[in-house]
Amino acid sequence: MESTVKPKTMGQEINLLKSIRRIEPRNVALGLLIGCFLVTFAYFSMTKFDTFRFFMVNSPSTENVATPSGAFVQNMVSVDSEQPDLDNEAQNVPTGGENRNISSINSNNSSIISKIDLISEESVESTVQELDDSIIEETKETTDACDKKHELCSTRNESASNKASTNTSISSTVPPLIDSKLSDTTIENKSKTEIKKQVPLCDLSQRRIDKCEIEGDVRIIGRNATVMWVPSPESDGGPDYERKVWQIKPYPRKEDPAAMSHVRIVTVKPMDGPDDAPACMDHRDVPAIVFSDRGYTGNYFHDFTDVLIPIFTTARRFQGEVEFLVTDFRIYWIMKYLPIFKNLTKYDLVDFDSDEQVRCYKKAYIGLTSHDDFGIDPDRIPERYTLVDFTRFMRTTYGLERDIAEIPIQKTLGRKPRLMIVARAKTRRFMNLDEIVRAAEKLGFEVVATEAINELVKFSVVVNSCDAIMGVHGAGLTNMVFLPINTVFIQILPWGGLEWVAGNYFKRPVQKMKLKYLQYDITPEESTLIEEYPRNHTVFTDPASIRRQGWNAMKEVFLDKQNVRLNIKRFRPTLKKALKHLNSEDS
C-alpha cells in the first residue's frame, strides 16, 4: 500500500517544482513584498491604539521631560530630527493590555523585516525610503499642529504613529498623564488658593510697639495720616491682606499712656481695588518708613532708646535706599540728629503731617523695630545687628577716630588714661566734684569734668578721646555710644534700691557694647536725702515702699530730690579697678 502511494506523491512534487522554475525571480520578490504589506496593513487596520508621542530614532539620546503631575519622563530623542516643545504639551501613553499590543507589533514587525531582508536590497530600498519620507512628513505636520494648539494630538495622528511604530522607543516607566487642560486648571486654582491666603496688615503682638509691614501697591497720604494697600496688578505675587482697618501709633512705648498721648494715629487700611484708591502723584522704588519723633524724645536717653536705635535696626539694611516719613515732625529735634539720618537715608525727610501728595511705594513700614530699652536682639532680625554695630555706626557717622581702646593705655599711647566725669547741673549732682577730680588725678587719671552739651559733633570727639566715663545714673551717661570698645563705664547709683533701673538702662547695654562695666552704690550718708529725712524714715528703712507707689513717686524722691556726695575713701577702689583694666596687658 505504501509503495503505490509514494510514487504518486513524488511525481506531483516534481511537477510542482517544474512549474515554479518557470516563474521569474523578480516576480517572486514583488509578490512577497506586496504580500507582506497587505498583511501589515490588515493588522494595523484591525488594531486600535491610543495616540502617543514618538520620535524618529537614528542616534538616540535621553531627555527628561516634566509632566503636569511633577514626574519626569525619559524619552529617546533623535539628534537628527526636529524637536517639538514638550514643556507645554501633555502625553498619552498606552498602558495595560495596550502594552501587549505594542509588543506584538514589534514582534511581527521584526519577522516582516527579516523576510524583507531576504529580498534583494535593490528592489526594496526605494519603497522603504518612500515610506520613511511619508511617515516623517505626516509626523511633522501633526506635531506642529499639536504645538500650536497646546492640547492632545487629534486622532488623525494615529495613522502616522502606527506607521512609525517600528522606529518608536517608549520608556516602560512613563506614568499615565493627566489631560493638559485639567492639569493647568488644577495648578492655576492651587496657585490662586495659595495667594489668597490672607495675612494681617499689622502686628500688635510685640511688647514695645505696634507695627505694620506692607508689600505691593502701597499709597500714603501724610496729611490724612492714611496708609493704603491696594489689590492692584502691582500687588500680584505679594501677600493678600485681611480686609481690616488698623489704628497705629508708630512710637515704641505703647504701654506708656503718657508717652503715647502726644503721638499721632496713623490709619492703615486695605482698599477694594485701584478704582477705590487715589491716584499716585509720586512713585518711589525704595521702601518707606513711617515713625514718630514725639513721645519722650527731647530726653537724651529716650532719643536713643526710642528712636535712634530702632531706626538704625529698621533702616540700616537698606544702605540708604529708603525714605523716612516723620509724623509729629519737630525740626529742631531732626536737626540735632541730622548726621545720623543722613547716614541712614539718601533722601530728604518728609514732614508726614503736612504732606499732601499721594506717595506710592512697593513696600512700607509703619513703626520701627524696637526690642528693648537701649537694646537690639540679633536673633530677631535677619541682619543680626548688635549694639556693637550701632556704636560703630555712631562713631563712623561722627567721623570719630578711635574704634577700639589701645590697651594698655600708658604703655601704648604714652599718656595717662583719660577719665570723663559727667557733671550734671541740676538733679543728681556731684556735691564734691573738685574732691573727686583731685582723687582721680592722684591715682593716675587725666580728668575731663563736663556737662553733656547738645552740639554732638563737637562733644562726640571729646567723649571718643576718653578711656573711661563716670557719672550718677542719668541721661548724660548715654554718651557711652561714642566710647571706643574696651573702655570703662562707671555708674554711680543713687540711694533708693534702683538696681533694676541701673541694670536695665545701662548695665546690660554697656556690656553688650563691649565696655567694662563698674557700679558704685552710694550709702544714705552719701545722699543729700539725709538732710531732708531722718535716718529712721521709710526713705531709708523701706525704700521699696516708695517705689511701690509708682514711677512718679519714686522719681520725685530718689531722682529729682537727690544729689550725691561721694565718700572718696570708699569710692577709691572703684577708680583703681578702672585704672587696672586700662593699664593691664591682659585686658
Side-chain angles (χ1 to χ4, degrees):
M1 179 70 79
E2 291 180 1
S3 62
T4 57
V5 174
K6 204 169 188 180
K8 188 176 181 180
T9 301
M10 290 294 295
Q12 291 176 349
E13 290 177 354
I14 292 170
N15 292 335
L16 178 60
L17 289 171
K18 290 179 180 180
S19 300
I20 291 174
R21 207 176 278 173
R22 289 192 294 268
I23 301 175
E24 296 182 5
R26 183 176 56 186
N27 293 336
V28 173
L30 182 60
L32 285 174
L33 179 61
I34 293 173
C36 289
F37 282 147
L38 286 175
V39 171
T40 303
F41 178 79
Y43 183 83
F44 285 157
S45 299
M46 297 174 64
T47 304
K48 182 179 179 181
F49 296 98
D50 285 340
T51 304
F52 59 92
R53 186 166 309 285
F54 65 93
F55 299 103
M56 301 299 296
V57 180
N58 291 326
S59 301
S61 63
T62 60
E63 179 179 282
N64 287 329
V65 182
T67 68
S69 62
F72 280 94
V73 182
Q74 190 177 62
N75 289 331
M76 300 298 293
V77 184
S78 170
V79 297
D80 298 329
S81 60
E82 182 178 347
Q83 306 299 328
D85 183 6
L86 297 183
D87 292 335
N88 298 322
E89 295 188 32
Q91 307 173 39
N92 286 339
V93 180
T95 60
E98 294 170 345
N99 286 336
R100 291 192 294 272
N101 291 337
I102 294 175
S103 299
S104 177
I105 293 172
N106 291 334
S107 176
N108 291 336
N109 287 343
S110 298
S111 62
I112 291 172
I113 293 173
S114 298
K115 293 178 181 179
I116 293 176
D117 287 342
L118 296 175
I119 308 171
S120 64
E121 292 182 4
E122 183 178 356
S123 60
V124 179
E125 184 176 0
S126 61
T127 305
V128 173
Q129 184 63 43
E130 290 177 4
L131 178 61
D132 286 345
D133 292 343
S134 174
I135 291 172
I136 293 172
E137 184 64 24
E138 187 171 351
T139 302
K140 186 174 181 181
E141 292 176 0
T142 305
T143 304
D144 290 343
C146 291
D147 289 341
K148 291 179 181 179
K149 295 182 180 180
H150 296 286
E151 57 187 24
L152 295 176
C153 298
S154 60
T155 54
R156 70 187 184 87
N157 293 351
E158 292 179 7
S159 60
S161 301
N162 293 336
K163 291 177 184 178
S165 60
T166 58
N167 293 323
T168 303
S169 175
I170 302 176
S171 171
S172 60
T173 61
V174 178
L177 301 181
I178 305 171
D179 180 83
S180 62
K181 292 182 179 179
L182 178 61
S183 174
D184 292 344
T185 303
T186 303
I187 293 172
E188 183 179 356
N189 290 339
K190 182 179 180 182
S191 177
K192 287 182 178 179
T193 302
E194 292 175 352
I195 293 176
K196 285 187 176 180
K197 182 180 180 181
Q198 294 186 337
V199 296
L201 276 166
C202 301
D203 177 12
L204 309 185
S205 65
Q206 298 185 35
R207 180 178 62 86
R208 290 182 57 82
I209 189 171
D210 296 330
K211 56 182 294 189
C212 314
E213 183 175 332
I214 312 170
E215 295 183 54
D217 185 348
V218 185
R219 308 185 189 187
I220 300 176
I221 305 178
R223 180 173 53 83
N224 296 338
T226 304
V227 177
M228 295 159 282
W229 174 76
V230 184
S232 68
E234 293 183 18
S235 296
D236 292 347
D240 186 20
Y241 295 101
E242 293 176 355
R243 303 307 192 260
K244 179 180 177 181
V245 178
W246 305 77
Q247 303 287 325
I248 301 296
K249 288 189 173 185
Y251 184 82
R253 286 202 174 268
K254 74 176 188 180
E255 295 180 346
D256 189 332
M260 303 302 285
S261 62
H262 303 294
V263 179
R264 190 184 188 199
I265 294 175
V266 177
T267 300
V268 181
K269 62 180 182 179
M271 308 301 286
D272 293 332
D275 296 337
D276 196 37
C280 294
M281 300 170 64
D282 184 10
H283 289 270
R284 293 289 193 189
D285 291 329
V286 299
I289 297 177
V290 180
F291 67 95
S292 172
D293 68 350
R294 193 57 64 93
Y296 287 144
T297 57
N299 175 287
Y300 194 44
F301 176 84
H302 287 283
D303 291 347
F304 278 85
T305 191
D306 292 351
V307 178
L308 298 180
I309 292 177
I311 195 69
F312 167 84
T313 309
T314 308
R316 183 60 172 169
R317 73 189 73 170
F318 300 114
Q319 300 297 313
E321 295 298 332
V322 63
E323 190 167 50
F324 296 157
L325 283 63
V326 187
T327 183
D328 309 310
F329 191 96
R330 291 186 291 179
I331 187 63
Y332 74 88
W333 189 87
I334 294 295
M335 293 304 296
K336 179 178 180 179
Y337 298 109
L338 191 60
I340 298 174
F341 291 115
K342 281 188 172 182
N343 205 13
L344 289 172
T345 177
K346 300 176 181 177
Y347 304 87
D348 293 337
L349 275 67
V350 176
D351 183 348
F352 186 73
D353 302 343
S354 302
D355 188 35
E356 297 186 356
Q357 293 194 62
V358 181
R359 297 179 181 270
C360 295
Y361 302 88
K362 297 177 181 178
K363 192 163 189 174
Y365 301 82
I366 295 81
L368 304 174
T369 300
S370 179
H371 298 149
D372 208 341
D373 284 310
F374 226 103
I376 301 174
D377 184 352
D379 293 332
R380 295 169 61 183
I381 49 177
E383 298 77 17
R384 298 190 61 80
Y385 293 132
T386 66
L387 277 179
V388 171
D389 295 315
F390 174 72
T391 56
R392 184 163 282 140
F393 165 80
M394 291 296 295
R395 291 189 290 272
T396 301
T397 296
Y398 286 91
L400 305 180
E401 295 181 358
R402 299 176 72 206
D403 184 56
I404 301 176
E406 308 86 342
I407 294 177
I409 300 297
Q410 187 83 40
K411 183 177 180 180
T412 305
L413 300 180
R415 63 166 175 80
K416 295 179 180 181
R418 186 172 290 128
L419 170 66
M420 171 175 280
I421 300 177
V422 178
R424 296 174 61 91
K426 297 179 181 178
T427 63
R428 283 160 278 155
R429 292 182 295 123
F430 285 120
M431 302 301 291
N432 58 337
L433 179 60
D434 292 342
E435 188 180 2
I436 297 170
V437 171
R438 287 194 300 270
E441 289 177 341
K442 188 175 181 179
L443 283 174
F445 280 104
E446 177 186 338
V447 179
V448 178
T450 180
E451 184 179 4
I453 60 176
N454 287 328
E455 295 183 32
L456 287 185
V457 174
K458 294 180 179 179
F459 193 66
S460 63
V461 175
V462 177
V463 177
N464 186 252
S465 70
C466 293
D467 309 301
I469 188 171
M470 67 168 278
V472 181
H473 172 84
L477 292 176
T478 306
N479 287 293
M480 62 189 177
V481 298
F482 301 117
L483 285 174
I485 291 172
N486 212 19
T487 50
V488 178
F489 178 96
I490 305 172
Q491 179 172 209
I492 310 300
L493 196 60
W495 176 257
L498 305 179
E499 286 80 7
W500 182 87
V501 175
N504 191 60
Y505 291 167
F506 287 108
K507 180 179 180 179
R508 176 185 49 78
V510 163
Q511 292 173 336
K512 290 184 179 295
M513 293 176 187
K514 295 187 177 179
L515 306 180
K516 175 71 173 179
Y517 179 81
L518 297 174
Q519 181 173 308
Y520 178 80
D521 298 352
I522 71 169
T523 63
E525 288 71 27
E526 293 174 281
S527 171
T528 57
L529 292 176
I530 200 71
E531 301 170 3
E532 296 189 32
Y533 302 94
R535 190 65 174 82
N536 60 354
H537 193 278
T538 53
V539 168
F540 300 113
T541 60
D542 188 14
S545 64
I546 306 296
R547 297 197 304 271
R548 285 194 294 268
Q549 296 176 30
W551 172 261
N552 290 333
M554 187 271 291
K555 179 177 180 290
E556 180 184 359
V557 175
F558 296 128
L559 297 180
D560 295 344
K561 289 184 178 181
Q562 183 171 199
N563 293 316
V564 174
R565 183 178 286 105
L566 287 182
N567 182 327
I568 299 301
K569 183 178 180 180
R570 184 171 179 267
F571 179 62
R572 187 176 288 112
T574 303
L575 288 176
K576 287 182 176 179
K577 287 181 182 178
L579 197 61
K580 181 180 180 181
H581 171 79
L582 294 172
N583 281 329
S584 172
E585 297 191 10
D586 298 329
S587 297

